[in-house]
Amino acid sequence: MTEISQNPSLELLAPAGTLEAFSVALEEGADAVYVGAPGANARALSRDFSMEEIAWMCRFAHERNKKLYVAMNSLLKESELKAVVETLSVFAEDICPDALIIQDIGLLYIARNYFPKLPLHASTLLSVHNAAGVRSMKVQGMERVVLARELSLQEVKKISRDTDVELEIFIHGAMCYSYSGLCLFSSLHGGKSSLRGQCVQPCRRKYTLLSSKGGRGGHGQGKSGSYFSMNDLSALRFLRELQKTNVVSLKIEGRLRPVEYVRNTVRAYRLCLDNLHAKGRERESIEQQANDMLDQALGRYRCEGYLGGKNHQVITPGKTGGAGTFLGICKPVQDKRKKNLVSLVLKQDLQVGDRLRFQDEKQDIRQAFTLKRLWTGNKPVDKAGRGLTVRLQLLEALPVVKGRTAVGALFKVDVKGRRKQQSSPAPGPGKKIPRIESKSDVVSHVLKGISCNQEDEIRIDRSGARSFSALDWWYRLSSLPPVKQRFPTPVARILLTINQKNVEQVGQLGKRAIALYPSLVWALPPIILEKDVPLYVRWLQQLLDLGFTTFQLGMITQASILDCLDDKAGAYTLFADYTWNVLNSAALRLGRSMGLQGMLYSLETDRESLRQSLVSLRSEETGKSKNETDQLHIGMYVYGYPPLFTARLPVAEDRDRQRMQSPKGEQFVVERRQDLTMVRASKPFSLLHAMRDLIDAGVDYALVDLEAAVIHKECSRISRLLKGGGDDREVMTGNYTAGLL
């Protein structure tokens, strides 16, 4: 346990998505800035920084005793490893940033083994939410851990007392409804992975509550709202409490936000951090000044997030989910000379050149554009003040649906005339930056070491293609299976979640349990709150005492939980769930180095990424004796209802099995179990049509997940799908065929 003392020097860490934002962040008092690595950061920026620009920012920051961190926190496909190795070689040899922020465990494997001098920070996308998770990250070589944003202040304090690793937390900015790293909604329902910076933000849409029968009606039913749209976090009130913890860095979210957001948020938090000693009226005055600055940051409605403990303000379903300052409600204007014209009464000042967003939630319409023309009456003006009725042109004509022209809200998301940094301008045409290139010999050495050669075409020899019988079938159930239960395929393993009901059920069987169910694999859920860790340790110990030694870890961060056990047998057989987000062969190598026997590949993968990864992994294993390497078994989730959101907050009325519908007519089911909310699609995810592909690619076992399903109903559908029957529209296939973005 680490002694907590007053922390006099909390690091204020600011985001930068542009060179101007970088300069402004330092000008306003940030101690450090984080930027995205080209092609490997979890934000889809309009333009990535070049390596030369990152080198310039790093030198500029270091000359002023500031720090620069680089976010390489995207999941990586096998085809991207070569470019990532090139990037790592430049960071290690030429740029030397203060740390890399990473999520992908394959990137962790490469950086740790081939570029050990690069400091590594665990991204919040690794969803570290307890002290055991922090310890696991330390074992893997992380010097700092960015804690999950879903933690209360008390949980942050507890974790900081029980660990000696540097901790970083978010104090301001956007929050996701799902635990970071566990959101599949954008990927499986939108084709764009949030874990790869491509999120289409389904959580910001409006959804309609449905009755249990799928129609509208019933108490509280039929209402539409932004039930998953989180308000922005603002932790000004907690800075003094955080100073008393072992947290070392306070992070502002917002690499996609405009410069004025960076300017005002950094200025506000710098003011408060510099005056933590203030009391009474002076303190109130300073906090009011800071909140006034945040009002000008063009963010969303602000709340205290999970830090405050009371979460009633975290989501306000009646409010829009977009960022920016509300300007008014637009009404269409008919004018033969001007197209796309609307009028509104301004709630805030507006000028030509401002960046605006129009949205009609009922019809799911959004337009973002720069204001080019503005009128008061028929008179063109450059600016107009609050209270005036103005007319302006939208980017596109408003559609007419059911005889109604869209009427929506207008928001200002950025302003014209952003003041540029004068004392430290970003490099321009007059300041050439030397071109930086990767070291080919270093890159070749690393690629050879991980058996990754993207220059060669990868072919599969089908002459020795495996049969279906070579594939093991796993079934995940909510409880022990009925004795007479029949499944569509032979059953190699039964996967059962560790919870009170299931542990008590096998406990009643005593020593007979292992004989009756020798194929049981016990699965830890991906989220185990700090308060529940002792409970899971006790359950694991009970299972060990009954003779069970095969477990599946929900997260890489759970490895340290097993260290708390009294293991008389001296050995476990460990597997990894798909929530490890494995998307490349380097991630598989990390799992093998940890002693895992098998790993489920990511649900988000496409056919080519899976094929390339397994060919790369197997090419290393080929020719080695069993004494030199134990073959890692690769699994694939092929059927089930995976949670699209795994969240801490309840939805709407906080009741189980709430049905909801999106603006596009998609239906979802919300489950609430203890401290977790899981949102699942009403139709299953299925790769049963691709079983031949999966076997040829080298997949060893297939997981059928019936935990959230009626077993007999789903078994009938699975049998039909395996025989080639069924309609493609009754299942979703994710990115497997279309490709992963």
Side-chain angles (χ1 to χ4, degrees):
M1 184 174 292
T2 304
E3 189 72 22
I4 292 181
S5 58
Q6 195 80 358
N7 186 350
S9 57
L10 285 168
E11 175 185 83
L12 181 59
L13 177 55
T18 64
L19 288 171
E20 186 181 358
F22 166 78
S23 295
V24 164
L26 293 183
E27 175 189 327
E28 296 297 342
D31 300 301
V33 177
Y34 65 102
V35 301
N41 69 93
R43 287 293 183 270
L45 300 170
S46 58
R47 185 185 77 83
D48 281 336
F49 289 117
S50 69
M51 298 300 285
E52 291 77 16
E53 288 171 328
I54 295 175
W56 176 85
M57 288 187 285
C58 193
R59 288 196 301 271
F60 186 91
H62 290 171
E63 288 169 358
R64 288 155 181 78
N65 294 318
K66 308 288 186 178
K67 293 183 178 180
L68 185 84
Y69 304 129
V70 179
M72 292 188 72
N73 57 340
S74 174
L75 287 187
L76 304 168
K77 296 194 288 188
E78 187 74 16
S79 60
E80 296 166 338
L81 290 186
K82 180 176 184 292
V84 164
V85 170
E86 291 173 345
T87 299
L88 287 173
S89 73
V90 172
F91 284 145
E93 302 291 331
D94 298 298
I95 298 179
C96 301
D98 293 281
L100 300 183
I101 307 168
I102 64 175
Q103 169 201 190
D104 191 293
I105 63 172
L107 178 57
L108 169 60
Y109 178 84
I110 295 170
R112 190 184 66 187
N113 286 282
Y114 296 97
F115 303 99
K117 293 183 180 180
L118 283 173
L120 303 176
H121 291 179
S123 168
T124 191
L125 290 166
L126 280 163
S127 199
V128 180
H129 51 275
N130 54 46
V134 177
R135 291 193 292 272
S136 295
M137 290 293 91
K138 179 182 179 181
V139 170
Q140 293 300 328
M142 299 291 194
E143 295 186 5
R144 179 185 293 186
V145 172
V146 186
L147 292 177
R149 283 175 279 190
E150 293 75 22
L151 299 179
S152 69
L153 181 60
Q154 294 306 314
E155 287 169 325
V156 171
K157 288 180 177 179
K158 176 71 166 58
I159 293 170
S160 77
R161 284 196 299 267
D162 293 348
T163 60
D164 57 1
V165 181
E166 286 190 2
L167 299 179
E168 177 179 304
I169 66 165
F170 279 89
I171 57 165
H172 195 92
M175 295 190 292
C176 299
Y177 179 72
S178 180
Y179 275 91
S180 296
L182 293 177
C183 178
L184 292 172
F185 209 133
S186 178
S187 184
L188 298 189
H189 260 271
K192 295 184 177 181
S193 172
S194 60
L195 303 181
R196 287 173 49 79
Q198 301 288 334
C199 186
V200 296
Q201 296 191 315
C203 55
R204 301 298 180 190
R205 300 173 186 158
K206 282 195 172 182
Y207 292 81
T208 302
L209 302 179
L210 303 175
S211 72
S212 59
K213 296 181 180 180
R216 299 188 183 189
H219 179 66
Q221 305 290 310
K223 297 179 181 178
S224 293
S226 302
Y227 296 109
F228 305 122
S229 183
M230 305 281 284
N231 294 318
D232 277 5
L233 168 65
S234 178
L236 281 176
R237 190 168 72 86
F238 302 104
L239 297 182
R240 286 171 178 79
E241 288 297 312
L242 291 170
Q243 189 187 32
K244 300 174 185 177
T245 71
N246 286 325
V247 171
V248 301
S249 184
L250 305 179
K251 189 173 198 171
I252 298 170
E253 182 276 340
R255 282 187 288 133
L256 290 177
R257 300 288 186 102
V259 172
E260 286 305 302
Y261 169 88
V262 176
R263 183 190 309 282
N264 284 290
T265 52
V266 174
R267 183 182 293 174
Y269 282 94
R270 183 76 274 158
L271 175 66
C272 290
L273 287 171
D274 289 345
N275 291 278
L276 289 177
H277 60 278
K279 298 179 180 179
R281 291 186 177 179
E282 181 185 7
R283 172 180 171 179
E284 292 177 4
S285 175
I286 288 169
E287 289 185 354
Q288 183 58 54
Q289 291 178 54
N291 277 302
D292 289 343
M293 294 172 191
L294 295 178
D295 288 340
Q296 301 302 313
L298 303 174
R300 297 180 183 86
Y301 180 78
R302 300 193 300 279
C303 67
E304 294 179 346
Y306 295 90
L307 290 174
K310 296 180 180 180
N311 300 322
H312 62 281
Q313 292 182 327
V314 174
I315 292 179
T316 47
K319 291 183 178 290
T320 178
T325 301
F326 176 63
L327 293 176
I329 299 296
C330 295
K331 297 181 180 179
V333 175
Q334 299 299 324
D335 192 315
K336 295 181 180 179
R337 297 169 299 174
K338 303 181 182 71
K339 296 181 179 180
N340 312 338
L341 209 61
V342 295
S343 69
L344 70 155
V345 179
L346 289 176
K347 302 293 185 182
Q348 301 291 339
D349 295 348
L350 179 66
Q351 65 176 323
V352 173
D354 285 348
R355 187 71 178 166
L356 307 178
R357 184 185 71 254
F358 170 85
Q359 61 188 63
D360 179 356
E361 292 286 356
K362 290 184 178 180
Q363 299 186 34
D364 199 26
I365 298 168
R366 296 193 179 204
Q367 295 183 21
F369 61 99
T370 300
L371 182 62
K372 295 183 178 180
R373 295 182 180 181
L374 182 66
W375 295 269
T376 57
N378 292 320
K379 180 182 178 182
V381 294
D382 290 331
K383 61 178 66 176
R386 180 178 180 179
L388 287 178
T389 299
V390 299
R391 293 190 295 168
L392 54 88
Q393 284 182 303
L394 298 181
L395 185 66
E396 301 173 0
L398 296 178
V400 178
V401 180
K402 296 181 180 179
R404 171 187 174 270
T405 304
V407 176
L410 193 70
F411 295 84
K412 179 164 60 175
V413 296
D414 201 358
V415 299
K416 180 188 177 183
R418 299 174 296 190
R419 180 173 60 89
K420 293 194 174 183
Q421 232 283 10
Q422 297 299 320
S423 59
S424 54
K431 293 194 173 186
K432 291 186 177 181
I433 311 175
R435 180 167 178 77
I436 302 175
E437 296 184 353
S438 61
K439 309 297 187 293
S440 59
D441 56 335
V442 174
V443 173
S444 297
H445 169 71
V446 177
L447 293 178
K448 183 178 179 181
I450 61 173
S451 301
C452 179
N453 189 349
Q454 302 299 330
E455 301 299 325
D456 295 339
E457 182 181 358
I458 298 176
R459 294 184 175 87
I460 294 179
D461 180 8
R462 294 181 179 271
S463 60
R466 298 183 304 157
S467 66
F468 273 75
S469 61
L471 186 75
D472 285 341
W473 287 85
W474 290 32
Y475 283 82
R476 183 165 194 157
L477 306 177
S478 60
S479 59
L480 289 173
V483 176
K484 296 183 180 181
Q485 178 63 53
R486 298 180 65 183
F487 294 97
T489 66
V491 180
R493 299 272 193 173
I494 294 292
L495 192 61
L496 211 59
T497 298
I498 298 176
N499 56 38
Q500 183 171 346
K501 181 191 73 172
N502 289 336
V503 174
E504 287 180 351
Q505 191 175 9
V506 296
Q508 291 170 358
L509 296 172
K511 294 295 183 180
R512 293 184 299 146
I514 188 66
L516 290 171
Y517 297 100
S519 63
L520 271 184
V521 178
W522 290 93
L524 286 168
I527 301 298
I528 301 176
L529 298 180
E530 180 69 25
K531 67 180 179 64
D532 294 328
V533 171
L535 184 61
Y536 278 90
V537 170
R538 189 174 79 233
W539 287 337
L540 284 165
Q541 191 64 58
Q542 290 175 12
L543 293 171
L544 276 175
D545 293 342
L546 289 172
F548 293 104
T549 58
T550 304
F551 303 102
Q552 179 175 274
L553 303 182
M555 292 280 203
I556 186 176
T557 54
Q558 292 174 352
S560 290
I561 292 180
L562 300 178
D563 295 338
C564 303
L565 301 177
D566 178 17
D567 180 15
K568 299 181 178 65
Y572 310 117
T573 301
L574 298 179
F575 293 86
D577 206 345
Y578 70 84
T579 42
W580 283 48
N581 295 322
V582 171
L583 205 58
N584 55 66
S585 62
L588 297 173
R589 287 179 172 84
L590 180 67
R592 189 176 60 195
S593 73
M594 295 175 64
L596 299 184
Q597 183 169 331
M599 303 181 80
L600 280 169
Y601 211 76
S602 170
L603 267 70
E604 297 191 60
T605 190
D606 54 37
R607 178 195 289 115
E608 194 63 16
S609 296
L610 175 66
R611 185 178 69 91
Q612 290 180 354
S613 297
L614 298 196
V615 168
S616 176
L617 181 74
R618 300 308 188 209
S619 68
E620 179 192 14
E621 294 175 341
T622 300
K624 292 185 177 180
S625 70
K626 291 184 178 180
N627 293 329
E628 292 176 304
T629 178
D630 293 323
Q631 179 171 309
L632 182 71
H633 293 81
I634 309 302
M636 194 70 211
Y637 186 114
V638 298
Y639 187 89
Y641 297 82
L644 303 176
F645 288 147
T646 301
R648 191 163 189 177
L649 282 180
V651 172
E653 298 178 353
D654 191 14
R655 66 185 185 87
D656 196 21
R657 306 298 296 178
Q658 171 68 63
R659 298 180 67 86
M660 308 184 82
Q661 182 170 291
S662 76
K664 297 181 179 180
E666 305 153 326
Q667 292 196 8
F668 307 92
V669 178
V670 182
E671 296 179 2
R672 183 69 178 169
R673 298 180 183 175
Q674 297 179 328
D675 295 312
L676 278 185
T677 296
M678 287 168 284
V679 180
R680 306 178 194 269
S682 61
K683 60 183 181 181
F685 170 87
S686 175
L687 295 182
L688 295 176
H689 68 285
M691 294 309 301
R692 182 73 264 169
D693 269 356
L694 299 179
I695 293 171
D696 286 348
V699 170
D700 299 298
Y701 63 101
L703 174 64
V704 175
D705 183 3
L706 302 179
E707 186 175 33
V710 179
I711 294 180
H712 71 273
K713 176 183 176 182
E714 298 303 327
C715 284
S716 176
R717 178 186 282 174
I718 291 166
S719 295
R720 180 162 44 86
L721 290 170
L722 283 172
K723 293 175 182 177
D727 189 337
D728 290 343
R729 292 173 295 180
E730 71 175 312
V731 299
M732 57 180 179
T733 58
N735 310 301
Y736 187 78
T737 301
L740 174 63
L741 296 179

